[in-house]
Amino acid sequence: MNTLWNKVLELVAARMNPSSFDAWFSPTQQRSFQDGVLEVAVPDQYFVNWLKEHYMDVILEILRSFTQSDVRVIFTIDPNLTSRTSYEPEDLHAESTESRRAEIKESNAIQVIEEPIGLNPKYTFETYVVGGSNQLAHAASLAVAKQPSRAYNPLFIYGGVGLGKTHLMHAIGHAVKTQDTQGKVRIYYLSFERFMNELINAIRFDTMQQFREKYRNIDLLLIDDIQFIAGKERTQEEFFHTFNALYDTQKQIVISSDCPPKKIPTLEERLRSRFEWGLIVDIQPPDFETKVAILKKKAETEQIELPNDVAMFIATQIKSNIRALEGCLIKIAAHSTIVKEEITLDLAKRVLDDILDVKDPGSARSITVTLIQEVVANHYKIKVEDMRSASRLRNVAFPRQIAMFLARKLTDLSLPAIGQFFGGKDHTTIMYACQKVQAMTQEDVTLAKEVETLEQALHT
Ligand SMILES: Nc1ncnc2c1ncn2[C@@H]1O[C@H](COP(=O)(O)OP(=O)(O)OP(=O)(O)O)[C@@H](O)[C@H]1O
């Protein structure tokens, strides 16, 4: 079955030796993938621990390359899955086997939730390729890493999808950590979505005091994808206080977003002005040479033999998204391992030809929600910003619903994730739009043709 997890397994298989893969990954199965949560069943707790410890980073990285968003992985234990490992779990023998087994049995009922917390070891300044498109953002990040809270505070980095914002933030975190010989600096990297979830839980479980204390005690706060703050009043309020507390005590704040503060819809004025207190830098799409350099660096880190002509070919195929660029390289390398052929221009063309036909958000000619919004807005002669607005005027609302319908149909994103692209709309709004457009296209031939034309435009 072509499940998301099976696609992940294909790429994982290319990166490890077959017997380990057989032992640790073959007995796993996707149970569900819904609303950004991927549920994977494994035979026992030992698998959970091993996968978490050794492969979580890789799994999350591959998932991101497919979905272009953070996916949460939940492991559930299904003892009916046959383990092919011959392991002797050391920790089963270390303590009383009985008690440990009882613990494991009990944990069968528990779901272990793993999220991209902390810093990705691969995202450092050393692995970051600098070109004209990201020079300023890179220099500013270096300055902040050298002198936290004295260079620019806050540092606000913005740019399109997959252009390296997260990479730079992690690089700052790593550099600060390396300089911190006494291990005193408290660094916290998180997505804005996670901040919001923590806040919701704090409200729900009446632990606001602990929530506030935790955030007031951070020395370097790296907060990713702040654009999702749009329309979240209570979270804006709390983030405002967190920001002030950190700023007043001279703690460094680094923020990333897909647009500058003034373009974040419904952002409170007091927060907007604070985001503008420090330095705002953007990352532009990379030029051809930078794309080739990034591919070469990535190939070097992953120990992939990448001929020059292939690097140049990939760079011409991908417009700007660096994640998609890397995705192509990984797919070509995986293919070359599977078919036991060297990477050549011919092989690369065959692989890319295949994946260009796939409706896969991480792949080359990927259809993103932003692209859908642009194409639909252009067709109906409305502004792209209208896609994120709350306007109920029919000439705006209906094209917006068509864009929501196409986003659901042509991307792998969950309903809540799509909602975020439309100004933070609720998942029920997206579902309603999909059902409505679906029903209307069945009754109205002209509309059905119109939607089909839009779809074709997106595929070319
Ligand atoms: N200049 C660069 N040099 C090397 N690798 C890069 C560079 N820019 C981006 N990348 C790589 O591209 C991938 C996507 O980058 P990243 O996740 O940082 O993008 P992003 O801008 O945060 O995307 P999003 O908007 O989806 O959050 C990562 O694997 C990252 O390492």
Side-chain angles (χ1 to χ4, degrees):
M1 257 212 312
N2 197 21
T3 60
L4 178 62
W5 181 243
N6 282 347
K7 287 198 219 166
V8 171
L9 292 186
E10 224 173 85
L11 295 193
V12 171
R15 294 188 187 194
M16 65 195 294
N17 76 46
S19 55
S20 301
F21 179 82
D22 208 35
W24 295 108
F25 285 93
S26 296
T28 64
Q29 262 176 23
Q30 173 167 327
R31 280 290 140 87
S32 64
F33 177 46
Q34 221 182 355
D35 298 338
V37 180
L38 174 67
E39 186 186 348
V40 178
V42 298
D44 61 33
Q45 182 65 35
Y46 197 67
F47 269 74
V48 176
N49 296 349
W50 193 91
L51 290 172
K52 271 174 65 189
E53 190 178 329
H54 300 280
Y55 266 85
M56 209 56 214
D57 283 349
V58 174
I59 292 169
L60 292 172
E61 186 191 321
I62 295 175
L63 279 171
R64 264 191 141 244
S65 79
F66 279 129
T67 62
Q68 297 197 351
S69 61
D70 284 344
V71 172
R72 285 195 306 162
V73 178
I74 299 178
F75 290 117
T76 37
I77 292 165
D78 178 353
N80 295 323
L81 290 169
T82 13
S83 150
R84 297 192 202 161
T85 56
S86 53
Y87 69 80
E88 283 293 311
E90 281 138 29
D91 41 353
L92 277 184
H93 291 282
E95 337 163 6
S96 144
T97 309
E98 264 331 292
S99 69
R100 193 71 182 96
R101 277 199 200 290
E103 201 180 292
I104 286 177
K105 193 163 167 231
E106 195 162 279
S107 69
N108 283 356
I110 298 171
Q111 295 195 330
V112 182
I113 299 181
E114 202 41 60
E115 284 180 285
I117 305 164
L119 305 174
N120 182 333
K122 291 186 180 167
Y123 292 175
T124 61
F125 282 122
E126 287 71 34
T127 57
Y128 195 78
V129 175
V130 186
S133 54
N134 57 25
Q135 215 164 16
L136 190 58
H138 174 258
S141 302
L142 264 184
V144 163
K146 271 198 190 131
Q147 293 197 305
S149 70
R150 272 184 289 153
Y152 312 108
N153 203 13
L155 173 63
F156 191 102
I157 306 171
Y158 75 91
V161 173
L163 293 187
K165 302 179 293 291
T166 304
H167 189 138
L168 269 184
M169 295 183 108
H170 286 218
I172 296 173
H174 284 302
V176 170
K177 211 165 144 195
T178 311
Q179 290 156 34
D180 174 32
T181 45
Q182 301 190 334
K184 282 192 177 154
V185 181
R186 284 151 303 185
I187 302 167
Y188 194 31
Y189 163 84
L190 80 167
S191 65
F192 178 75
E193 198 187 355
R194 190 180 166 89
F195 178 85
M196 201 168 64
N197 288 339
E198 285 188 15
L199 173 65
I200 291 168
N201 281 338
I203 296 169
R204 199 167 137 214
F205 298 114
D206 202 13
T207 53
M208 276 309 287
Q209 181 68 15
Q210 288 95 314
F211 173 88
R212 290 195 175 124
E213 261 165 36
K214 172 180 166 183
Y215 280 93
R216 311 288 190 265
N217 280 317
I218 291 166
D219 299 300
L220 168 61
L221 178 66
L222 305 154
I223 192 145
D224 214 348
D225 289 328
I226 195 90
Q227 71 272 9
F228 293 135
I229 202 168
K232 319 272 173 15
E233 280 161 33
R234 175 73 209 264
T235 322
Q236 290 201 17
E237 168 85 23
E238 198 55 44
F239 189 70
F240 174 74
H241 295 303
T242 305
F243 184 102
N244 286 346
L246 291 176
Y247 189 87
D248 292 346
T249 47
Q250 276 146 39
K251 304 297 171 59
Q252 177 71 48
I253 304 157
V254 182
I255 300 168
S256 93
S257 166
D258 68 355
C259 58
K262 62 174 184 297
K263 289 257 171 80
I264 300 178
T266 72
L267 180 65
E268 278 181 37
E269 192 44 44
R270 55 185 186 164
L271 261 179
R272 190 189 320 276
S273 72
R274 273 161 182 76
F275 290 169
E276 291 169 353
W277 277 351
L279 182 69
I280 301 177
V281 284
D282 70 332
I283 304 185
Q284 289 295 322
D287 55 26
F288 177 74
E289 290 74 13
T290 310
K291 282 192 276 183
V292 172
I294 290 173
L295 280 167
K296 289 194 165 171
K297 187 118 198 171
K298 180 81 182 169
E300 196 185 301
T301 346
E302 301 292 326
Q303 298 180 329
I304 299 168
E305 283 284 337
L306 179 67
N308 235 342
D309 56 348
V310 178
M312 283 163 51
F313 170 69
I314 304 174
T316 51
Q317 296 300 303
I318 306 296
K319 235 167 107 192
S320 60
N321 187 334
I322 298 171
R323 190 174 298 121
L325 198 70
E326 292 184 342
C328 282
L329 173 67
I330 299 297
K331 278 171 189 158
I332 292 169
H335 195 83
S336 113
T337 313
I338 292 164
V339 300
K340 298 195 172 55
E341 250 183 73
E342 264 179 37
I343 298 181
T344 59
L345 191 54
D346 178 54
L347 176 114
K349 280 185 178 161
R350 271 184 279 134
V351 176
L352 289 201
D353 250 11
D354 271 1
I355 59 176
L356 288 178
D357 287 333
V358 176
K359 283 186 285 173
D360 170 356
S363 76
R365 210 184 289 155
S366 63
I367 297 176
T368 60
V369 181
T370 316
L371 180 68
I372 293 171
Q373 291 177 329
E374 278 168 14
V375 170
V376 175
N378 193 25
H379 180 83
Y380 289 101
K381 313 239 171 327
I382 60 171
K383 287 190 269 152
V384 179
E385 296 88 76
D386 288 334
M387 291 286 167
R388 292 189 288 271
S389 78
S391 166
R392 287 175 190 268
L393 291 174
R394 192 183 145 78
N395 69 327
V396 171
F398 190 56
R400 195 167 54 219
Q401 288 177 324
I402 291 185
M404 290 171 182
F405 167 79
L406 288 172
R408 183 64 175 160
K409 185 168 177 198
L410 303 177
T411 75
D412 279 349
L413 296 176
S414 63
L415 293 170
I418 294 172
Q420 296 292 353
F421 285 90
F422 288 87
K425 301 233 171 7
D426 193 73
H427 72 280
T428 51
T429 309
I430 311 296
M431 200 153 62
Y432 171 72
C434 295
Q435 285 164 355
K436 179 176 162 187
V437 175
Q438 174 78 25
M440 285 179 76
T441 51
Q442 273 159 10
E443 281 172 24
D444 182 343
V445 187
T446 320
L447 178 68
K449 276 235 153 12
E450 212 165 295
V451 173
E452 201 187 319
T453 313
L454 284 166
E455 220 177 289
Q456 275 163 5
L458 285 159
H459 279 298
T460 50

